[in-house]
Amino acid sequence: MLERSLNGDNAPPIEPLGMSRAVLRRSFVTPLSETLAGPIAELHEADAEPCLYIWDDPSCYARTEPSRIEPLAFDPTETNEKIACVVWLFGPERVCAPDEMLGLLRARLSNDGMIVVSTECPWRGKILAPDEHAEQTDEEAAASLVRTGFGSIERHVDGPFFRLWSARLDPGSAHDLLSQAAAMLEERDHAAAERILSTLDERLSADGVREFGLLVAACHDMAGRRELAMEALTQILDMDPGCARALCGLGRLAALEGDLEKAGALFDKALTQQPALVAALRGKAAVAEARGDVNGAYASVLAASDLRPTDDHLLVEAVRLGRACGKLAQTDRFLRDIAARRPLSPIVSAIIGNEV
């Protein structure tokens, strides 16, 4: 009954994702709930509005319907109650802005509150379900938690089909500074990002150190300080030899230096660590096209676009490369699949010259 309630009255009682949620509730969330001293909540979307199903007595989580349902944006200043644990099962890939959602959840938690998150594991070539917006690699999922103020990330299940992680609320302000710096880099303002990062004086977790190092490297790269960018990325790899985004960054620097062989090897190594890392797939496509391998470039861009179906730049690149290597029928099917998920913008339609 709980599964039907949480997925809507008209949802089928048995379906793969629902079965996975039920298993995780029974095997992990229920034992956890019995150790909590405060309310437990589960994030759910009802009529496109996110809400929390809340159990005031967490020991009742597995046995009864929730005590109440509240909108996620419920003003926490109106009540002294804070939630001890929020559960979000297979949700981050199904919202447009997972960081924003995590920030809203953070605001509802008590000072020592916990979040439990599960997501499907992405892999290269995976085609998203109709209700999925994007897949996150392990590193990207951890970065999302760090940026929204969570630390002490514990990986309870890490594949092969799904991840189940928990994280504790981080009371410091480091996450705000990391988020602000990332936003400045998005606006191509590396000087502002560097000023923000220079004020960070809190102790960081291993995941936080990695995010800090990647932002520092991005600042150096954007400023044209390639040697310093390489040094920062190398330091990250000394700490975390499997960091795919650091490998990807080194691949970009190698490509800028004209060493396509080294760049391709670094992008391949990054994809060995994180097969669904879109940045590495983009880099691999650029290297392949520079070498004259249009088919290889098309395959990499197509894989990236499957993982980020709302990225118009990837869509345009996939169509351009698909037509360049003569895969007209496949490109047409690809366009129609995208158009079935979302309307194409007039600009994109004009660029690709295709009425779908």
Side-chain angles (χ1 to χ4, degrees), residues 166-331:
S166 67
R168 291 281 182 181
L169 197 67
D170 188 342
S173 61
H175 69 282
D176 283 331
L177 298 177
L178 294 175
S179 294
Q180 291 170 27
M184 289 299 98
L185 286 171
E186 285 289 328
E187 296 179 13
R188 311 295 297 175
D189 190 345
H190 66 84
E194 287 176 310
R195 285 195 297 271
I196 292 168
L197 292 173
S198 69
T199 65
L200 201 160
D201 58 3
E202 297 178 24
R203 185 180 180 85
L204 297 173
S205 65
D207 289 303
V209 170
R210 182 179 61 198
E211 299 313 310
F212 177 82
L214 287 166
L215 290 171
V216 169
C219 288
H220 290 315
D221 185 1
M222 195 174 292
R225 302 185 293 260
R226 293 180 186 172
E227 288 187 5
L228 290 176
M230 187 176 299
E231 181 181 331
L233 293 168
T234 302
Q235 288 176 353
I236 295 170
L237 289 170
D238 288 340
M239 179 188 74
D240 180 6
C243 181
R245 285 174 296 159
L247 290 166
C248 190
L250 289 175
R252 168 184 154 75
L253 293 174
L256 290 174
E257 295 292 334
D259 192 341
L260 296 182
E261 183 175 352
K262 181 179 180 181
L266 285 164
F267 289 133
D268 282 337
K269 189 173 181 180
L271 289 167
T272 299
Q273 298 295 327
Q274 301 283 332
L277 184 61
V278 169
L281 288 167
R282 286 181 187 267
K284 187 176 174 67
V287 168
E289 187 172 13
R291 287 174 162 174
D293 181 8
V294 182
N295 283 285
Y298 172 64
S300 292
V301 168
L302 190 64
S305 190
D306 283 337
L307 294 164
R308 295 287 190 276
T310 60
D311 188 319
D312 284 342
H313 176 73
L314 283 172
L315 170 60
V316 170
E317 282 296 286
V319 172
R320 178 183 69 82
L321 291 167
R323 290 173 176 170
C325 61
K327 299 186 182 296
L328 301 182
Q330 184 178 2
T331 301

Side-chain angles (χ1 to χ4, degrees), residues 113 115 145-146 149-154 166-171 205 207:
I115 188 168
L145 288 168
V146 169
F150 292 96
S152 303
I153 301 171
E154 292 189 51
S166 67
R168 291 281 182 181
L169 197 67
D170 188 342
S205 65
D207 289 303

Side-chain angles (χ1 to χ4, degrees), residues 75-160:
D75 186 353
T77 63
E78 294 183 5
T79 175
N80 293 323
E81 180 197 53
K82 288 285 190 175
I83 296 167
C85 178
V86 172
V87 181
W88 192 11
L89 301 179
F90 300 104
E93 60 266 68
R94 290 173 167 78
V95 295
C96 294
D99 283 18
E100 180 180 332
M101 188 71 78
L102 286 169
L104 292 171
L105 293 173
R106 183 182 192 277
R108 298 300 305 271
L109 288 169
S110 59
N111 289 337
D112 59 346
M114 171 192 293
I115 188 168
V116 174
V117 183
S118 67
T119 59
E120 295 178 67
C121 291
W123 58 85
R124 186 175 171 184
K126 180 177 182 181
I127 298 176
L128 275 63
D131 61 339
E132 291 181 296
H133 292 276
E135 297 280 2
Q136 289 185 323
T137 65
D138 291 353
E139 288 182 21
E140 290 167 330
S144 189
L145 288 168
V146 169
R147 286 194 305 266
T148 49
F150 292 96
S152 303
I153 301 171
E154 292 189 51
R155 294 155 172 83
H156 305 280
V157 180
D158 234 353

Side-chain angles (χ1 to χ4, degrees), residues 1-15 21 44-48 51 53 65-66 69:
M1 184 173 180
L2 176 60
E3 183 59 48
R4 177 179 288 273
S5 175
L6 290 174
N7 285 287
D9 292 338
N10 296 322
I14 298 177
E15 44 91 23
R21 287 192 181 102
H44 171 59
E45 226 174 59
D47 298 323
C51 60
Y53 282 47
E65 293 296 302
I69 301 174

